[in-house]
Amino acid sequence: MTNYWLHPALILIVGALLLPLMRGAIRRPYLLIVPILTFISVLGLDDGVHGVVQFLDWQLIFGRVDNLSRVFAYIMSLMCIIGTLFGLNNEDDGHHIAAWFYVAGSIGTILCGDFIVLFLFWEMMAFGSVFLVWQRRGPQSLATGYRYLIIHTIGGLFLLAGFTLRYYNTGGDLSFVPLAVDAPNLATYLILIGFIVNAAVPPFHSWLPDAYAEASVAGAVFMCAFTTKTAIYVLARGFAGMDILIPLGAVMALYGVVYGIIENDGRRIFAWDTVSQVGYMVVGVGIGTSLSINGSCAHAFAHILYNGLLFMGTGSVLYMTGTCKLTELGGLYKKMPITFLFTLIGGLSIAGFPLFSGFVSKSMIITGGMEVHQYWASFALILASGGTFLLAVLKVPYYTWFGKNNCSKEVWEKAGDPPWNMKAAMGIAAGLCAFIGIYTPYLYNMLPFPVEYHPYTAYHLSETMQIIGMAGIAFFILRPFIAPKATISLDLDWFYRMFGRGFMWFDSRIIQTIDSWVAEIYRVIGLWPLMTISRFWSWFDWHAIDGVVDGTARSVRAIGGTVRRLQSGNIQYSIFYAATIAVGFVLVIVFY
């Protein structure tokens, strides 16, 4: 390396490798020390380029620190502390190792300066996170993990093809810099597809609700925070101002709300809400102004906290009761009051309620859209805000904590607030959600661009209260229609499944038939001549080659038998025979 620089991701990687050696009383403190050291390392990052490595003809840059990478690295390392604290009572080392490698991949991607290092950490994220799905060991976990891995591998292949083609087009440039979004070429679009797969942009989004709902209780807290927000970072770094992202993000914002409304599983509801909220960030990146990029960064920062809080809340319900399906819950505020309070704070934050984090972040994106006359996109995001309030503040709390008690006797008896570490993690996230909403300089001063923005205006407050009021009215009017039902909601993954079934049918019927025909043709046309030639060479070997060899052997054996009969055992005969042969040999030489 050209200069000494401690990469924050390296702390997590080494810490994960050493974790199996930590046993007894030191294990739990160690689990907290490693992410805390990572966070301190991020706080100590200096602006500039660090960790430059010359590898073959390429210059690899492991550390590029500026205002954009710093804010993302800050919240990722902070969330690693909260997520580890939440899963502190998990005794499976595999969970923590996978989680830390996952976070290391995210931080490594954020701090990288070239596409090779980006790809290295990008794939580390994919392979680290899939084990958080498998860690649950549920009936669907294995299949869900494989689907998740396949989708992200496909996305990684698009990314690899894109930057390889760019390397060829530019004559060897691998630096990860803003791409030419005004004149995109094939390489640009391939890289964009690789990024938006991780951002869960439709139609590449089905992996998200599938994986988040099937991940382990603590694993889902990590998964909801890192993959999509790392994708937002790379989009903001490379594709700021690309127009196609505006309609894609607006569709995401509304699409996620619609599916969240008809969903029954609590974690799937907030997974769909993740799709919706990431849509805001994608719109902000597509707008590309300083204000909108700031808004995407601020919303990613806030979303990591309140979305993690919501998954901790629903995960706590699952951990304590064994289910988080709304049709099997109700009235739990009596049994889990602390969890209810923290989950409500997360709901108010994601819905953009005043004095909470979502209020001061998503409004920056909406305002940024208004400033560049993207009115339709801004109104789509406002509409999605109403749907989010209906979901996170009304539907989930009502059917989980209040409403009719649909809990079975076993579920009701098991219900209760989770262990202290899970409550502490939720408390920290809830406190930060409120702190960001009240003291805006904490977040605004970390944003990449120095833009003046004041969320607490009379217009914004009145607009928000109107949206909240309309959402409340809509909930009570539409409650009979949006009440949770124990059904499966089909999505675009239906097409994936149908394509898979079609491929299996095509493979088993068409390809297998062709393979059988080819095998039969080979047997008749290719195998028969081969066997005929083989039989001829077998005959030749037996009668010709073996005949000569065996005939020579028989002759030698016959001569040996004759010579053996000459051996009578009397030495005088032996001397006589030897002398006779010698005399005969001399006579031949003399008279020849």
Side-chain angles (χ1 to χ4, degrees):
M1 300 182 68
T2 58
N3 61 307
Y4 174 77
W5 184 69
L6 180 61
H7 200 302
L10 185 61
I11 300 175
L12 288 170
I13 293 172
V14 174
L17 296 176
L18 294 178
L19 178 59
L21 303 178
M22 303 300 163
R23 289 290 179 264
I26 195 177
R27 184 177 182 276
R28 287 196 173 186
Y30 179 81
L31 286 173
L32 293 178
I33 289 171
V34 171
I36 289 173
L37 289 177
T38 305
F39 181 65
I40 293 172
S41 175
V42 169
L43 292 179
L45 292 175
D46 295 323
D47 286 353
V49 175
H50 311 278
V52 180
V53 177
Q54 190 67 34
F55 178 71
L56 300 179
D57 295 331
W58 305 313
Q59 191 177 65
L60 308 183
I61 301 174
F62 285 84
R64 176 182 50 193
V65 184
D66 55 20
N67 290 337
L68 181 60
S69 59
R70 185 189 301 279
V71 63
F72 277 90
Y74 179 98
I75 186 57
M76 297 302 184
S77 55
L78 178 60
M79 190 61 205
C80 183
I81 298 174
I82 297 172
T84 303
L85 176 61
F86 184 78
L88 196 64
N89 55 325
N90 191 327
E91 298 298 329
D92 190 342
D93 287 344
H95 161 77
H96 299 287
I97 292 172
W100 287 354
F101 267 92
Y102 180 28
V103 180
S106 175
I107 295 176
T109 301
I110 289 165
L111 295 178
C112 76
D114 64 272
F115 278 107
I116 291 181
V117 177
L118 185 151
F119 184 75
L120 170 68
F121 285 109
W122 193 262
E123 293 304 298
M124 184 184 293
M125 278 200 306
F127 283 91
S129 55
V130 71
F131 285 95
L132 298 178
V133 178
W134 288 334
Q135 279 291 316
R136 188 179 178 184
R137 298 181 176 88
Q140 298 297 323
S141 298
L142 186 63
T144 300
Y146 278 123
R147 287 195 296 269
Y148 175 88
L149 192 58
I150 289 171
I151 292 296
H152 285 279
T153 300
I154 292 172
L157 291 175
F158 273 104
L159 177 60
L160 178 62
F163 79 71
T164 302
L165 184 59
R166 185 175 184 273
Y167 177 81
Y168 174 79
N169 292 339
T170 58
D173 183 15
L174 282 172
S175 56
F176 179 34
V177 294
L179 304 179
V181 297
D182 295 330
N185 53 25
L186 178 58
T188 305
Y189 284 116
L190 289 173
I191 295 171
L192 177 64
I193 292 173
F195 287 165
I196 65 176
V197 167
N198 274 26
V201 176
F204 309 109
H205 66 285
S206 296
W207 63 266
L208 191 152
D210 191 29
Y212 286 15
E214 284 299 324
S216 64
V217 170
V221 176
F222 280 91
M223 295 188 71
C224 76
F226 293 95
T227 300
T228 52
K229 265 61 74 182
T230 305
I232 293 300
Y233 166 79
V234 294
L235 287 173
R237 175 70 71 181
F239 290 91
M242 191 161 192
D243 292 337
I244 188 64
L245 294 176
I246 299 175
L248 289 176
V251 169
M252 285 182 72
L254 295 172
Y255 195 90
V257 166
V258 170
Y259 268 90
I261 289 174
I262 62 177
E263 186 55 66
N264 179 42
D265 185 280
R267 295 205 301 177
R268 289 186 71 89
I269 289 174
F270 290 124
W272 281 112
D273 220 359
T274 299
V275 174
S276 176
Q277 297 301 303
V278 173
Y280 284 79
M281 307 169 209
V282 173
V283 170
V285 172
I287 294 171
T289 63
S290 297
L291 179 60
S292 67
I293 295 295
N294 271 1
S296 293
C297 295
H299 201 47
F301 191 105
H303 185 262
I304 287 172
L305 292 171
Y306 62 62
N307 204 43
L309 177 57
L310 292 170
F311 272 90
M312 285 188 279
T314 52
S316 296
V317 173
L318 177 62
Y319 181 81
M320 298 304 297
T321 67
T323 183
C324 59
K325 294 182 178 180
L326 303 188
T327 51
E328 299 173 3
L329 300 172
L332 289 182
Y333 78 95
K334 299 176 182 178
K335 303 278 286 186
M336 307 177 69
I338 297 177
T339 306
F340 160 66
L341 176 62
F342 290 148
T343 308
L344 179 61
I345 292 174
L348 292 172
S349 299
I350 197 173
F353 197 84
L355 302 180
F356 294 96
S357 56
F359 180 81
V360 304
S361 61
K362 66 172 64 176
S363 58
M364 297 177 72
I365 302 172
I366 296 173
T367 303
M370 293 290 188
E371 286 185 353
V372 296
H373 310 294
Q374 292 285 351
Y375 300 119
W376 70 272
S378 295
F379 283 124
L381 298 185
I382 292 172
L383 181 60
S385 294
T388 301
F389 186 87
L390 187 149
L391 273 178
V393 183
L394 298 176
K395 179 178 179 178
V396 175
Y398 180 81
Y399 290 105
T400 302
W401 311 104
F402 302 100
K404 181 182 178 181
N405 188 341
N406 294 314
C407 300
S408 65
K409 182 179 179 181
E410 181 183 5
V411 167
W412 186 255
E413 289 177 352
K414 291 191 298 184
D417 281 319
W420 70 270
N421 60 292
M422 301 171 79
K423 290 185 289 188
M426 288 189 285
I428 294 171
L432 287 171
C433 287
F435 180 68
I436 291 171
I438 296 170
Y439 183 67
T440 57
Y442 168 71
L443 175 57
Y444 287 0
N445 289 342
M446 285 190 282
L447 298 179
F449 301 107
V451 175
E452 288 291 328
Y453 179 75
H454 303 284
Y456 287 100
T457 62
Y459 174 81
H460 186 207
L461 286 168
S462 62
E463 176 189 62
T464 301
M465 298 312 295
Q466 290 177 56
I467 294 172
I468 291 171
M470 292 298 295
I473 294 172
F475 175 73
F476 285 103
I477 293 176
L478 301 175
R479 192 171 58 181
F481 304 99
I482 64 174
K485 299 178 178 62
T487 58
I488 297 175
S489 302
L490 294 178
D491 179 38
L492 289 180
D493 62 335
W494 182 85
F495 295 99
Y496 301 160
R497 297 171 192 271
M498 292 302 104
F499 174 79
R501 292 180 183 179
F503 178 80
M504 290 298 295
W505 179 88
F506 181 79
D507 181 67
S508 61
R509 299 294 179 85
I510 307 299
I511 301 299
Q512 185 62 44
T513 300
I514 294 174
D515 180 70
S516 300
W517 290 348
V518 170
E520 183 64 20
I521 292 171
Y522 173 75
R523 187 185 68 81
V524 175
I525 297 177
L527 195 60
W528 181 83
L530 181 63
M531 294 302 296
T532 302
I533 294 172
S534 299
R535 283 193 292 269
F536 167 76
W537 283 113
S538 176
W539 176 89
F540 182 80
D541 177 69
W542 178 260
H543 291 86
I545 297 176
D546 286 356
V548 172
V549 174
D550 293 346
T552 303
R554 285 193 293 269
S555 299
V556 171
R557 186 175 63 179
I559 294 172
T562 302
V563 173
R564 179 174 56 81
R565 284 194 294 271
L566 295 177
Q567 299 295 322
S568 63
N570 297 319
I571 189 170
Q572 61 271 24
Y573 291 115
S574 298
I575 294 173
F576 172 76
Y577 292 145
T580 302
I581 293 172
V583 169
F585 183 72
V586 170
L587 290 174
V588 170
I589 294 175
V590 170
F591 294 102
Y592 180 68

